Every structure is written in C-alpha cells, then in structure tokens.
Amino acid sequence: MPIDFDPEDGDTHQEIRTGVRKLCAQFPGEYWRRLDREAAYPANFVKAATAAGYMSALIPEEYGGSGLPLSAAAAILEEIQRAGCNGAACHAQMYIMGTLLRHGSPEQKRKYLPGVASGELRLQAFGVTEPSSGTDTSSIKTFAQREGDHYVVNGQKIWTSRAEYSDLMLLLARTTPKHQAAKRTDGLSVFILDMRTAKDAGLAIRPIRTLMNHSTTEVFFDNVHIPAENLIGEEGKGFRYILSGMNAERILIAAECIGDAKWFIEKATDYAKERVVFDRPIGKNQGVQFPLAKAYAQMRAAELMVHKAAELFEAGTNCGAEANMAKLLAADASWAAGEACVQTHGGFGFAEEYDIERKFRETRLYQVAPISTNLILSFLAEHVLGLPRSY
C-alpha cells in the first residue's frame, strides 16, 4: 500500500508533478552517485529540466517562460527531491530571476530573460555572502566604483554556488561606503554580471569541496568591469531588491525539504515492511514505527505551512513570517525523516548504493542555508512576538 503523500487541500499541480516524476525517472540514483563521487555538475539533468520548461516556470510567457505561480515552482522542486534527485543544482535560477523580473528595466528583461528561459543562458549564481560578513549582509565589503559608463568591482564572495557553471551572476556590492550611508542597509546595489567575459578580465573562481555535492565556490573580483546599464534598479537600493526575493527563496527551499522528507519516509517505510529480523518484519517494532510516524506528522504540518506561505506570496500580501516558518519547519522535518531513515536501515543506511547517506548530507544543508535556523528564530521573536531586537 503506497503512502498517501498527495495533499487534498488546494491546487496541487498534479499534471506538473506527474511530468516531473517522468523526467526524474530518467536520472536514477546511480546518476547522482556518480556525480557525487566526481563532485560534478548535473549538466544533463539541468538540460532536460530546462527543455521541459521547468526551469523557466516563473518567467512570464512574453519572455519565453511558462508564467506559472510560485506554488507550481514549489511543486516542481518538491517532486525533484521526492524522486531522489537534487534540485539544488538549479533551484537558484528560479528565485534569482525574480529580482531581475521585479526590478530590472524593460531592456534588461528583454536582453536576458528569453535566454534564461530557453537555456541559452544560465542565471544560477548569486553573489552575496562574504567571508567576513556571513549573514550580516549590510557589512559586505565588495565595492563597485562608478567610473564613467561602467563600474569597477573589487572584493570577494564565498558560498557562491554554481559560479563555474553559470553564465550570469546576480551580484550585490557596495556603491557607498557603509559609514557614509544613512542606514546600514543603504548604499548596496545589484548588478547583472556577465561571467563569460569577466572570467578573462579579473574574475577568479575557486571551488570549495563540501559535505555535499553543491558546486559551491569562492569568487574574487580584481578590477572587474560591469557596464552601468547592468545596474538593476536604482543605485544604493539593492538590499531591498534582494530582500524582496528572499520569501520566494525560503518557500522554494522549504518545498525541496518536503520532497526530501517524503523520499526518506517512503524509503524507510518500504524497507521496514520488507526487512525481517528475529523472524518478523522490523516495521512491527514500535521503536521503528514511532520515529517514522512522527517524521510523517512533522512533514505534513510543515507542508501546510509551505502551502500557506505560497498562497500569501501569490496574493501579493506580506508572507515574511510564513515563509520563514515554512523553511524552518520543513528543514526540521526533512532532517527528522532522514535521521529516522538512517536508523531504520541501520548499517545499510551508510552504504552508498542506497542513496540515503547522499540525501542525508544534502538535506543537512538546509539547517544552515540559505538562512540559518537561529536567524529565523530571531526574526520571529522580533517581528512576530515583538521582543527586543537581538542583533
């Protein structure tokens, strides 16, 4: 008897989900295990997902995309994870694109969005975090100095995932020194950086090996020139432009975590029914049953928050609290499900061929990124509970 994972409330985009499952069936565990061993980028998977239109789900039809709502994009990423694949290879393209769509000029949209939609251009790198600032974005030091018809960028970014495989980067840099800004979040600007030309003109990329295969890097800027026409919106207002896309980012990442949790629960439940020890299936033991049942309950509760956050986002209302709670609860649910799955499989949970240890490493990331659990709690404490600001 299969687990009933399909929610009954609201539009669940079943046709999209079915299509994603069919696509993911072409990329079984061995494909991802090989990439994991080689620390390689899933180029074939990204190409197939782009050709199927999934990577351009949020791009309006006038620019060659599907013009779908955020809930559809969330369904796509959830199903990718639920199938045992890894949507982190390309998920950033969905929410990075939003900054360009909401705040870019008509010329910028016409220049870049059709290429992103068709797959001719990859917009998958997001240059924000720096070694010395961490999640304190207002303290970044990378500086873009205006010189005539271009900006000259110097500085360093870290945890810039997919920089080696992206054509374009959405870059956040200071254009006014922090001590001269009226507010700490003023004086930050957003640019579209064409990395194809910058790699031969002052841009250096250094890969960072991590716990999971995430294609993350450190990026160095040494007098990198960016045309002034590549400034998104107004100079100095970049922080609010970035901030406007963070709710979408949290909701999409939360949807991935829901997919991970479903994969772990299904994997563990199937195994518990089949694995016989002491002449009885281990699924008869409450020590096996209870962690899986609790993980399922956590996942379903988190799933409802993801749906609520997406509903508010699509309605154009403030969903900051819901988006953050969705990410928090979904990340906790996927981690709990992963822990239960490993424990259910025992030693086999650590064997590469079962894919559990790979998925376990991948889902652990979301306790830390794209925002840590503690910062979400600080946000809720201050903005929902009205407690004094803690930082």
Side-chain angles (χ1 to χ4, degrees):
M1 177 181 171
I3 301 172
D4 178 18
F5 279 142
D6 293 324
E8 297 177 357
D9 58 307
D11 180 12
T12 57
H13 304 289
Q14 285 304 325
E15 185 175 346
I16 290 174
R17 291 175 183 273
T18 299
V20 174
R21 290 171 196 163
K22 289 180 179 178
L23 183 143
C24 289
Q26 304 171 36
F27 299 90
E30 175 50 38
Y31 172 80
W32 298 99
R33 290 194 295 271
R34 177 174 55 79
L35 294 175
D36 194 58
R37 288 191 296 268
E38 299 171 359
Y41 181 79
N44 290 337
F45 175 77
V46 173
K47 183 178 179 180
T50 301
Y54 297 130
M55 298 318 304
S56 61
L58 296 177
I59 296 177
E61 292 183 46
E62 63 183 295
Y63 299 114
S66 304
L68 296 174
L70 188 73
S71 57
I76 290 168
L77 291 175
E78 178 192 318
E79 292 300 331
I80 288 174
Q81 300 302 114
R82 180 180 172 183
C85 301
N86 187 1
C90 43
H91 62 192
Q93 185 158 296
M94 288 186 174
Y95 53 79
I96 293 174
M97 175 279 306
T99 300
L100 173 60
L101 182 63
R102 285 187 294 273
H103 305 290
S105 68
E107 293 77 18
Q108 289 171 338
K109 295 175 189 178
R110 288 193 295 267
K111 182 176 181 180
Y112 295 112
L113 288 178
V116 173
S118 68
E120 180 184 349
L121 293 173
R122 286 181 186 166
L123 175 57
Q124 297 178 12
F126 199 19
V128 176
T129 308
E130 298 182 6
S132 61
S133 64
T135 49
D136 182 7
T137 303
S138 66
S139 294
I140 65 171
K141 297 177 181 178
T142 296
F143 202 87
Q145 180 68 47
R146 179 71 182 259
E147 294 185 3
D149 62 354
H150 63 270
Y151 288 82
V152 179
V153 182
N154 285 282
Q156 177 184 0
K157 297 293 182 181
I158 198 168
W159 311 127
T160 307
S161 300
R162 298 161 298 274
E164 294 178 284
Y165 307 101
S166 186
D167 301 306
L168 306 173
M169 175 191 292
L170 195 71
L171 175 67
L172 183 69
R174 278 218 159 269
T175 44
T176 301
K178 186 176 180 180
H179 68 274
Q180 295 179 11
K183 296 192 301 182
R184 63 178 183 170
T185 55
D186 287 348
L188 297 166
S189 301
V190 182
F191 301 89
I192 301 172
L193 172 65
D194 190 329
M195 295 195 296
R196 295 169 298 178
T197 56
K199 287 176 182 177
D200 297 321
L203 180 72
I205 301 172
R206 184 177 70 84
I208 302 174
R209 288 298 296 262
T210 57
L211 182 71
M212 74 296 295
N213 182 24
H214 203 67
S215 302
T216 200
T217 69
E218 195 168 13
V219 182
F220 302 87
F221 303 87
D222 182 11
N223 291 324
V224 174
H225 286 213
I226 301 179
E229 63 189 32
N230 282 29
L231 171 71
I232 292 181
E234 294 182 47
E235 183 179 293
K237 296 185 178 180
F239 185 80
R240 73 179 68 173
Y241 300 156
I242 294 292
L243 202 62
S244 70
M246 287 184 174
N247 287 333
E249 175 190 54
R250 288 166 183 34
I251 294 168
L252 292 175
I253 295 296
E256 287 192 38
C257 290
I258 296 299
D260 278 342
K262 290 180 178 181
W263 186 90
F264 284 124
I265 293 168
E266 191 164 43
K267 187 91 168 177
T269 302
D270 288 345
Y271 184 78
K273 293 173 184 176
E274 299 168 359
R275 174 65 167 164
V276 175
V277 179
F278 298 119
D279 299 321
R280 52 188 277 143
I282 63 172
K284 275 192 172 184
N285 301 317
Q286 291 180 342
V288 173
Q289 290 180 354
F290 288 1
L292 293 175
K294 187 174 183 180
Y296 177 81
Q298 283 183 263
M299 179 274 293
R300 293 313 295 261
E303 185 179 38
L304 289 174
M305 184 57 76
V306 174
H307 292 167
K308 181 62 176 179
E311 176 186 324
L312 292 173
F313 183 94
E314 291 172 1
T317 58
N318 183 13
C319 63
E322 289 78 9
N324 275 283
M325 287 189 287
K327 195 272 179 181
L328 169 75
L329 297 173
D332 283 349
S334 67
W335 183 243
E339 172 69 21
C341 186
V342 170
Q343 202 67 19
T344 299
H345 283 78
F348 291 109
F350 298 92
E352 181 188 50
E353 65 183 282
Y354 281 73
D355 291 310
I356 297 167
E357 58 86 27
R358 171 180 62 83
K359 293 284 285 182
F360 196 52
R361 286 184 282 115
E362 290 169 359
T363 209
R364 179 61 178 84
L365 172 64
Y366 299 122
Q367 293 288 325
V368 175
I371 186 168
S372 74
T373 296
N374 286 343
L375 276 179
I376 290 178
L377 295 174
S378 293
F379 174 89
L380 295 173
E382 179 184 352
H383 297 283
V384 177
L385 303 181
L387 294 172
R389 186 182 179 92
S390 63
Y391 60 92

